[in-house]
Amino acid sequence: MVWWEPVVHAVLYTINIIMEGSESRVTLNTTGLEAGTPYCIKGNSRGNTCDVLEIMCGDIYKVVLAPLTLDGAIVQFCPQRMYSVEYSCTSGTAMVSWARVFGADSYRAVATGSGRTVLSCTSQGTECQITGVGCGEDYMVQVTAVSKSCESKVNTTSHFVTGKDTETKEVYFWTVPCPPKNLNLYRECSSNVIIFSWAATNNTAHYRARAVDSEGVTMDCMTLDTSCFFTNTVCGRRYTFTVYSVSSGCNSQASPPVAVRTAPCMPQNLLSSANCRSEVLTSTWDRAEGALAYTVEAWGNKDESNRYNCSSFTNSCAIPSVHCGESLTMYITAFDDNCPSYRTLGQVAETVPCTPQNVSAAMHCGSDSITLNWQVSYGSLFYIATAMDDAGVVHTCNSMDTNCQIKGLRCSSTYNAFVTATNLKCNSSNSEIVTIETGMLLSISQSDIFIKPFLHQQLSQSALLLCSLQFGDRQAASCLPDHIEAFLDCAANHALIVWQGHHSILSYTATIEDTEGVLLSCSTTGNNCTVPSLKCGQLYSVSVMHHDGICPSIPSQAITMESVPCGPANVQTEMDCGSGTLTVSWDTSLRALGYTTIISHGNREQVTCNSTATSCSVDTLDCGEEYVVEVMSVNRSCLSMPSQAMVIREVPCVPTNVTVHRTCGESPVAVTWDASRGAKIYTAIAIGNSGHRTECTSNDTTCSLEDLLCGQTYSLSVLAVDDACSSTESSLVTLQTVPCPPTHVSSWVDCGSNTASLSWDASPNAISYSGSAVGTDGHSVSCGAATPGCQMAGLHCGQDYVFTVSASDGSCESPESDTFTQETGERDRDSVFFFCSVRDDITDHLFFLYYLILLQLLPTNTLSVSWAPAAIALNNSVTAMAGDGTALSCTTEGSTCELDGLQCGQQYTVAVTATSSNCTGTTSAPQTVQTVPCVPSSVHGVVDCASNTLQASWDATDGAHAYISTVTGPDSYTSTCSTANLTCFFTGLKCAKEYSVSVVAKDDQCNSSVSVDVSVATVSYKLVLRAGYEQATNRPGIIN
């Protein structure tokens, strides 16, 4: 039951009853309430009291009384204060105050806690302070008035909490909560989750817990419960936890700290290495945060029994007695006092390779090496085989296989050999040592030796049967020949091989090998032998081996020797006609260091040209001379055989003493000169002042210029020409030709005085003129003048005169001008003409015209002769006389006659004689004509099969100055050769092919018909088997 004093203005009262620990508050809904009636929440009301129902035993309740007005507003009132308590949660004291009581001398305030703690204070005034108030308790305060020996009755109690006090009947108050107790920590090792828990405290609304790690990082947790889960912790750190209670007014003090570590972090950078000199495996790693100890595990790859471990409080540990040849998987785990870290995988560890077992050694005849064999060693990447002689000289070889060949051993020496395995980090122990001897055999029983034939590497393309003497692990090999020298005899083309001999050697074999692998050899019991028939242009490798009756030695260290160089091939010559420089070129000769070109002429001193290139030029040769050119290759010690000789001719010399023989008529002008060395024909060239050019050609030292123009000043020079070149022009000679006939002749006749005046245009080169007039009665008159124009007197009257004018240069007189007839028509004269035409084709037409005689050589060996017709009918006789005295003739009344039956290759002299009925005229000037050269006969072809060169030859033919030989073959092959000789060479022919050879003869103007074709076949290679190898040989053949 709750009782209270009436409140002024209050018409309603409400009571709230709150059980400790409940957050809900039940409030009264005033709708429908009647004034003056108390209402109890969970109770029955009557008057100024209220019965509280359903109160549970053992619970603590808080009772709140609220007086209300009629409209439901809370009445603001100050209750009648009997005494009051003010509680300070910071100092833990309670100040109790009261009203004075009549007759009291002093007062005593007593506070009784729920834990039966009793605290008190006394005062003569109206207040006193109770100290030492405990946390988390409900105190009931009683005040007693004391008067001498009497005390008043206790009539009022007051309950307080957190500095608030209310004057009520039986009201309870709480002090500040106590710090939580019974602190507990639970750590989950695998997840590093920490659960922090504590015991509940009184008068607490909620709790605040805090975790601080060893790095100063904090985490907070607020909860209504008595535990917190800390999940985001870091491995290997120490966490310190505290908690305090939170009430509505004051907070408790923080609990004492408690600490715990999370599980250690995972170790990193685990590295393991084997001690190459012991069976210890050492591991190191980076320290892990929070770790107090470490455990390293090593799992072998052979079987599960090969597992090892070690533990350490530092960052390294060693595992003893690990097996050789292991590839270990490494793990590491960190520990603290309670938790392990996760297991971490480290780098694979390799233990020392196992020592190779079952080592054996072998050596064979003809070798400077031994072969070691052994079984596979676990843990090895490759092996090192070692052989040491008595002098401590070490030879080694490396191999990834189970065998290895050690080369370069000394002969006649004892070697101790062993094998070491390695994995690039550690080497195994050396294997057992095996002994092997080279050189002469040790004294051993006959039962220990057996002979095993085997086929050694093929030498000289033939099988050489050697033997191997084997006894246990020891085999024999003889020492090599030394001090080897090779001497080349250039003239004899053989090599002398010399070496230092040994008295115990039965025989020696010297071998030379060229770059193509062809071998030549000689054998002897002495210390030298000769190898003949060397190939030119080779770099020979020379070695010597010997046989001591047991084994042949391996070949000695090879020395090199050059053979005689090959002569240059495809030698070509080129003459620079302008400068007279001769350039000789050729193909490169194998192993030649240089070349020497020799140019010779009869008994004169030779001209030599040295070159390191494949050409050489000479500009000091005499003009017009014929030279023989040969080229030789040069190496360090020898000259090659000369190349095939080539004949060349220098540019012809320049003609000298050029002379012009001038004539006054219309006949050609003869030019003469001295013969030039090397010239075959000459060309005389005349160039007039008007630019007119004419020339004549001759194979003699004279020729005639036929078509010179009148009235010109010509500059004449002569060229000498051979088959390839022309000389430079000779010195110039000047020629003035006969003045031209005057032109535009006209006359004026003075009939009264019978005189006539002539006029005309001036003629070049003329210094005087002569005029002529002939009348119809035969009377003639003339006049002369130095300049154009003259007068004639004494003309007959009544005549028609024909006037002509001629010009003179002082030596020669021009032909008469065109006629001019006074009063009568013109009088025709026989015209004088010159005509020359040459056509050279397969019909071999050749035309000559010399002063009114035309000679035409027809294709049927017929000569046609023609001339200008006479004014009257004449009987003309033509005669052609050959050089051998035979003559041909024909007669005609016309101006043409043909001579049949001319022979080839002959020169005929032709003349014409005219006969009338009364007398015979003089014979014309003789003319010569050369018939076509005869067809070459006896054409032969000779093939040099070694070089595939064809030599064509034939007999000389009449009338031929030169010949043109032609070779045709398969694939449209054609090659020609022009020569004045009776042979030609054709190179570069293909073997086993058929070719045709023909020849044409030529003179200065005509070619003969082509000779009958001759077939020539090159010879194919024959294979001859000799001494176990094949050798290709060429045999020259002659086919006509």
Side-chain angles (χ1 to χ4, degrees):
M1 180 182 68
V2 180
W3 176 90
W4 59 89
E5 290 289 339
V7 178
V8 180
H9 304 301
V11 295
L12 293 176
Y13 298 91
T14 62
I15 299 175
N16 288 334
I17 301 174
I18 305 171
M19 187 176 66
E20 182 184 10
S22 174
E23 293 293 334
S24 63
R25 177 185 296 271
V26 180
T27 58
L28 179 64
N29 186 351
T30 59
T31 304
L33 297 181
E34 295 181 3
T37 302
Y39 288 85
C40 287
I41 305 304
K42 298 183 179 181
N44 297 322
S45 63
R46 59 181 184 277
N48 293 338
T49 65
C50 183
D51 296 326
V52 180
L53 304 179
E54 299 177 2
I55 299 301
M56 303 298 295
C57 63
D59 289 337
I60 300 175
Y61 293 87
K62 182 177 181 180
V63 179
V64 179
L65 175 65
L68 304 175
T69 61
L70 185 59
D71 55 3
I74 296 178
V75 177
Q76 302 296 324
F77 66 95
C78 292
Q80 182 179 1
R81 181 180 299 272
M82 297 298 295
Y83 60 89
S84 64
V85 178
E86 293 184 2
Y87 171 72
S88 172
C89 58
T90 57
S91 62
T93 61
M95 180 64 73
V96 181
S97 60
W98 55 85
R100 289 185 178 273
V101 177
F102 181 77
D105 295 328
S106 62
Y107 303 88
R108 183 174 63 248
V110 178
T112 303
S114 56
R116 301 188 181 279
T117 300
V118 177
L119 302 173
S120 63
C121 66
T122 58
S123 175
Q124 293 180 350
T126 57
E127 60 181 8
C128 72
Q129 186 179 50
I130 298 176
T131 61
V133 177
C135 62
E137 292 198 43
D138 180 18
Y139 283 91
M140 181 179 68
V141 178
Q142 294 177 325
V143 179
T144 303
V146 179
S147 173
K148 297 183 179 180
S149 59
C150 294
E151 295 181 358
S152 64
K153 294 181 178 180
V154 177
N155 57 357
T156 301
T157 60
S158 178
H159 295 244
F160 58 90
V161 61
T162 323
K164 294 183 179 180
D165 67 290
T166 304
E167 189 69 27
T168 60
K169 298 291 187 179
E170 303 297 334
V171 177
Y172 290 88
F173 299 94
W174 289 91
T175 59
V176 64
C178 292
K181 297 180 180 179
N182 298 330
L183 306 179
N184 289 309
L185 291 172
Y186 174 75
R187 175 185 60 186
E188 176 63 43
C189 292
S190 60
S191 64
N192 277 333
V193 173
I194 300 176
I195 303 174
F196 179 30
S197 63
W198 55 87
T201 58
N202 295 330
N203 193 29
T204 301
H206 60 273
Y207 302 92
R208 290 185 180 272
R210 170 168 288 188
V212 182
D213 67 11
S214 52
E215 300 293 329
V217 179
T218 62
M219 292 186 292
D220 292 319
C221 171
M222 184 176 68
T223 180
L224 299 176
D225 204 352
T226 57
S227 63
C228 273
F229 286 74
F230 291 87
T231 57
N232 295 326
T233 59
V234 180
C235 65
R237 293 189 182 181
R238 176 183 175 86
Y239 284 86
T240 301
F241 295 87
T242 57
V243 63
Y244 64 89
S245 303
V246 178
S247 66
S248 58
C250 292
N251 298 338
S252 74
Q253 293 181 355
S255 68
V258 291
V260 69
R261 279 188 177 276
T262 52
C265 294
M266 296 171 60
Q268 302 296 321
N269 296 327
L270 174 60
L271 301 175
S272 302
S273 60
N275 188 324
C276 297
R277 300 183 179 274
S278 67
E279 297 179 346
V280 176
L281 180 70
T282 302
S283 300
T284 61
W285 56 87
D286 294 343
R287 289 183 179 273
E289 191 173 3
L292 300 179
Y294 304 89
T295 296
V296 176
E297 298 175 90
W299 293 11
N301 59 350
K302 295 181 180 178
D303 53 61
E304 293 186 359
S305 63
N306 293 345
R307 294 193 176 182
Y308 315 90
N309 63 74
C310 64
S311 297
S312 174
F313 294 104
T314 64
N315 65 331
S316 66
C317 73
I319 301 176
S321 302
V322 292
H323 293 171
C324 65
E326 289 275 16
S327 179
L328 301 174
T329 302
M330 304 300 298
Y331 301 98
I332 186 170
T333 306
F335 294 90
D336 62 8
D337 293 333
N338 298 305
C339 290
S341 68
Y342 284 110
R343 187 165 60 183
T344 304
L345 179 65
Q347 293 186 4
V348 174
E350 304 285 345
T351 61
V352 178
C354 295
T355 302
Q357 302 296 322
N358 296 331
V359 178
S360 62
M363 175 179 282
H364 299 283
C365 292
S367 172
D368 65 345
S369 62
I370 63 172
T371 298
L372 295 183
N373 297 278
W374 57 89
Q375 289 183 344
V376 173
S377 174
Y378 287 112
S380 63
L381 293 180
F382 67 93
Y383 304 89
I384 303 171
T386 304
M388 181 185 301
D389 62 12
D390 296 336
V393 179
V394 175
H395 301 266
T396 63
C397 65
N398 301 329
S399 175
M400 299 182 70
D401 205 349
T402 56
N403 57 76
C404 190
Q405 186 179 39
I406 302 177
K407 299 181 179 180
L409 302 182
R410 291 191 309 159
C411 58
S412 301
S413 298
T414 300
Y415 285 89
N416 293 325
F418 56 87
V419 181
T420 307
T422 182
N423 60 3
L424 297 180
K425 296 178 181 177
C426 289
N427 294 342
S428 71
S429 301
N430 296 334
S431 69
E432 59 179 333
I433 295 177
V434 295
T435 302
I436 187 169
E437 297 177 0
T438 61
M440 304 306 296
L441 295 177
L442 298 175
S443 265
I444 55 175
S445 63
Q446 188 173 5
S447 60
D448 290 335
I449 303 177
F450 67 92
I451 299 177
K452 179 181 71 174
F454 72 101
L455 190 63
H456 192 61
Q457 182 179 2
Q458 191 176 31
L459 296 177
S460 301
Q461 301 184 353
S462 62
L464 177 63
L465 185 65
L466 304 178
C467 68
S468 170
L469 299 182
Q470 178 174 334
F471 43 97
D473 292 331
R474 297 172 296 182
Q475 297 184 8
S478 300
C479 291
L480 304 179
D482 52 8
H483 296 89
I484 298 171
E485 294 182 276
F487 301 94
L488 176 64
D489 187 334
C490 298
N493 194 28
H494 65 234
L496 174 63
I497 313 301
V498 179
W499 58 88
Q500 181 175 341
H502 300 276
H503 67 277
S504 61
I505 302 304
L506 297 182
S507 65
Y508 296 89
T509 298
T511 303
I512 64 174
E513 181 179 2
D514 64 20
T515 54
E516 297 176 354
V518 178
L519 299 175
L520 298 174
S521 63
C522 61
S523 298
T524 183
T525 58
N527 66 340
N528 66 83
C529 66
T530 300
V531 180
S533 303
L534 304 182
K535 291 171 62 177
C536 67
Q538 295 293 323
L539 178 64
Y540 280 103
S541 177
V542 182
S543 61
V544 180
M545 60 185 299
H546 61 68
H547 203 292
D548 60 3
I550 300 174
C551 280
S553 72
I554 62 174
S556 65
Q557 183 175 0
I559 64 174
T560 58
M561 179 195 72
E562 290 184 342
S563 65
V564 176
C566 295
N570 193 26
V571 177
Q572 303 287 334
T573 60
E574 181 181 356
M575 180 65 68
D576 186 338
C577 297
S579 63
T581 299
L582 172 65
T583 299
V584 184
S585 62
W586 53 88
D587 292 344
T588 301
S589 293
L590 185 64
R591 315 211 65 80
L593 299 180
Y595 304 91
T596 297
T597 302
I598 298 177
I599 305 171
S600 58
H601 173 64
N603 297 324
R604 296 186 184 179
E605 184 179 354
Q606 294 178 338
V607 177
T608 302
C609 178
N610 296 318
S611 173
T612 57
T614 56
S615 64
C616 195
S617 297
V618 177
D619 58 2
T620 59
L621 303 181
D622 295 334
C623 64
E625 291 288 1
E626 188 176 81
Y627 292 91
V628 176
V629 179
E630 295 175 311
V631 184
M632 293 180 291
S633 303
V634 182
N635 64 10
R636 292 182 178 86
S637 55
C638 292
L639 284 172
S640 71
M641 296 296 290
S643 64
Q644 184 176 358
M646 298 189 67
V647 178
I648 61 99
R649 184 177 292 276
E650 252 290 357
V651 177
C653 296
V654 178
T656 58
N657 295 327
V658 177
T659 304
V660 179
H661 301 280
R662 183 184 182 195
T663 60
C664 292
E666 296 179 349
S667 59
V669 173
V671 182
T672 61
W673 53 87
D674 291 345
S676 296
R677 188 173 57 228
K680 289 190 174 182
I681 60 174
Y682 301 89
T683 299
I685 302 172
I687 301 176
N689 56 318
S690 65
H692 175 253
R693 176 188 174 99
T694 185
E695 59 185 52
C696 62
T697 301
S698 173
N699 57 5
D700 202 350
T701 57
T702 181
C703 73
S704 298
L705 298 171
E706 297 181 347
D707 57 348
L708 297 178
L709 301 181
C710 62
Q712 293 286 312
T713 299
Y714 283 93
S715 295
L716 286 87
S717 61
V718 180
L719 298 175
V721 182
D722 62 9
D723 292 330
C725 290
S726 299
S727 71
T728 56
E729 294 182 355
S730 67
S731 301
L732 294 178
V733 177
T734 302
L735 169 66
Q736 285 191 341
T737 57
V738 176
C740 294
T743 58
H744 300 105
V745 177
S746 63
S747 66
W748 176 80
V749 177
D750 184 355
C751 297
S753 61
N754 288 329
T755 60
S757 296
L758 285 179
S759 63
W760 58 87
D761 290 343
S763 294
N765 296 341
I767 61 174
S768 64
Y769 301 91
S770 176
S772 174
V774 178
T776 54
D777 60 356
H779 176 252
S780 63
V781 181
S782 63
C783 67
T787 57
C790 69
Q791 288 187 347
M792 293 181 178
L795 299 180
H796 294 177
C797 61
Q799 298 291 317
D800 288 334
Y801 280 88
V802 175
F803 295 94
T804 60
V805 181
S806 62
S808 174
D809 59 4
S811 297
C812 294
E813 189 171 329
S814 74
E816 292 182 344
S817 66
D818 294 338
T819 59
F820 178 80
T821 302
Q822 185 70 33
E823 296 184 355
T824 60
E826 292 184 0
R827 173 177 169 268
D828 292 334
R829 291 174 54 89
D830 293 336
S831 59
V832 179
F833 65 91
F834 289 85
F835 172 78
C836 181
S837 174
V838 177
R839 180 165 63 96
D840 184 7
D841 56 19
I842 196 167
T843 61
D844 295 323
H845 284 275
L846 183 61
F847 294 87
F848 297 93
L849 180 64
Y850 294 94
Y851 190 64
L852 302 182
I853 296 179
L854 176 64
L855 304 180
Q856 182 179 11
L857 185 61
L858 300 179
T860 56
N861 287 333
T862 298
L863 177 64
S864 177
V865 184
S866 60
W867 52 90
I872 61 175
L874 297 173
N875 188 19
N876 298 295
S877 177
V878 179
T879 301
M881 182 69 68
D884 58 0
T886 60
L888 298 174
S889 64
C890 65
T891 303
T892 181
E893 293 182 355
S895 59
T896 300
C897 190
E898 291 184 353
L899 298 172
D900 297 325
L902 274 71
Q903 297 181 2
C904 64
Q906 293 294 322
Q907 187 178 61
Y908 286 86
T909 301
V910 181
V912 181
T913 304
T915 304
S916 67
S917 58
N918 296 320
C919 59
T920 299
T922 58
T923 301
S924 66
Q927 307 297 324
T928 58
V929 62
Q930 180 72 42
T931 59
V932 176
C934 295
V935 177
S937 60
S938 300
V939 178
H940 293 336
V942 178
V943 176
D944 181 359
C945 299
S947 62
N948 274 339
T949 299
L950 170 64
Q951 178 181 358
S953 63
W954 52 89
D955 291 343
T957 60
D958 292 337
H961 292 172
Y963 301 89
I964 299 175
S965 179
T966 303
V967 173
T968 60
D971 302 325
S972 301
Y973 175 83
T974 299
S975 179
T976 61
C977 169
S978 179
T979 179
N981 300 320
L982 300 179
T983 58
C984 264
F985 292 91
F986 298 88
T987 60
L989 303 185
K990 297 182 179 178
C991 62
K993 300 294 184 180
E994 186 169 302
Y995 295 83
S996 294
V997 181
S998 62
V999 183
V1000 172
K1002 61 179 290 187
D1003 60 12
D1004 293 335
Q1005 291 136 345
C1006 295
N1007 292 349
S1008 72
S1009 299
V1010 180
S1011 69
V1012 177
D1013 287 348
V1014 174
S1015 295
V1016 178
T1018 56
V1019 179
S1020 60
Y1021 284 97
K1022 295 181 180 180
L1023 299 179
V1024 179
L1025 185 64
R1026 291 183 179 178
Y1029 63 92
E1030 291 182 353
Q1031 181 176 2
T1033 62
N1034 277 329
R1035 297 178 180 266
I1038 301 176
I1039 300 177
N1040 293 333

